[in-house]
Amino acid sequence: MAAKIYYEDDANPEALRGQKIAVIGYGSQGHAQAQNLNDSGLDVVVGLREGDPDVGAARDAGLEVATVEEAARSADIIMMLIPDDQQAKVYRDSIRPGLKSGNALFFAHGFNIHFDQITPPDDVDVIMVAPKAPGVMVRKTYVEGNGVPCLLAIEQDYTGKAHERGLAYARGLGATRAGVLETTFAEETETDLFGEQAVLCGGASELIKAGFDTLVEAGYQPEIAYFECLHELKLIVDLIHYHGISGMRARVSDTAEYGDLTRGKRVISPAVRAEMRAMLEEIQTGKFATEWVLENQANRASFKALERLEAAHPLEELGERLRSMMKWLD
Ligand code: NDP
Ligand code: MG
């Protein structure tokens, strides 16, 4: 079933009239969303920790700033734009106490709601507006008169206006200029985790290392292996990004395309696909979420150790040296 997509005319800006929006956090998404909403004529207050160095930057951008508690208490709409692993604690300590009936809690990612780290009371709306781009792009495209696509999901509709409120918020970001796709907290969270684990981060970095190790173990020079298996990946990904997989194949040599068509399925073998399904199941059952929440409670002992081990891979030191030869990469 194709996703439902909303545009500018589908949104009703009146749905947020007279409502104050607290944007909690002024990082990647926070700085962009607060400024876009403010420039769209909405009533915005930025909630920041006491002594946060970003207070000055937010004020310089013409925004009202308050502590997280004050901002949340004074607002009708509260958007959580601090790191996902901090949200449950900040919600409990600084947001929940000031929540009022009919308020709306907004998120830009579904993890904390879908996996029950935050359990809002029944008498608020729970809404996700998730830009499909980093904050700099959310801001840049808005200033240029465009926007980035967003996902919209409603977890809880107490007021009966959650959908309208979500769409009006997305409009304030500029997202309805590009398209707002309807989804659910479950779908956004599970696909986001799966994508980063299997393809974008986990899959891609292991694919690079496996290719590099194979060449180096066979006696080829590591520098050559680096260029083949890591550096050139960007060229291919850019072609896929702009032209799709067939478009990429049309733009590489016929030799490369024949190798792709006949050998690719041996890399991503049926066993690898089975493993992907197993990883997806760990996400769906909450096994991964529980592991990650406990890992944070354990002060990230495994996380930090794994980072250290991975940083010792020969690719890292070599890559640093080779990238310093390529001044244009700065
Ligand atoms: P950032 O890491 O950029 O946000 C950091 C902000 O949160 C800073 O203002 C920081 O303040 C503040 N902060 C951190 N810890 C606390 C705390 N304990 N109490 C109060 N404030 C705190 O986050 P992102 O913008 O990357 O992510 C925000 C949300 O948006 C997440 O849910 C994420 O999944 C989602 N998202 C992110 C995207 C992205 O491109 N980054 C894209 C789509 C969704 P200080 O400067 O003082 O540390
Ligand atoms: Mg993501």
Side-chain angles (χ1 to χ4, degrees), residues 25-30 48-49 52 54 68 80-84 86-87 90 108-109 131 133-135:
Y26 203 69
S28 173
Q29 287 296 322
L48 290 176
R49 284 187 280 206
D52 191 307
D54 290 323
V68 174
M80 289 289 255
L81 294 177
I82 63 176
D84 296 294
Q86 299 290 319
Q87 289 183 8
V90 171
H109 177 40

Side-chain angles (χ1 to χ4, degrees), residues 29-66:
Q29 287 296 322
H31 92 282
Q33 296 198 19
Q35 291 186 74
N36 289 8
L37 297 167
N38 190 54
D39 289 351
S40 294
L42 294 162
D43 185 9
V44 178
V45 56
V46 178
L48 290 176
R49 284 187 280 206
E50 222 120 359
D52 191 307
D54 290 323
V55 169
R59 292 220 165 99
D60 287 348
L63 296 161
E64 182 187 338
V65 180

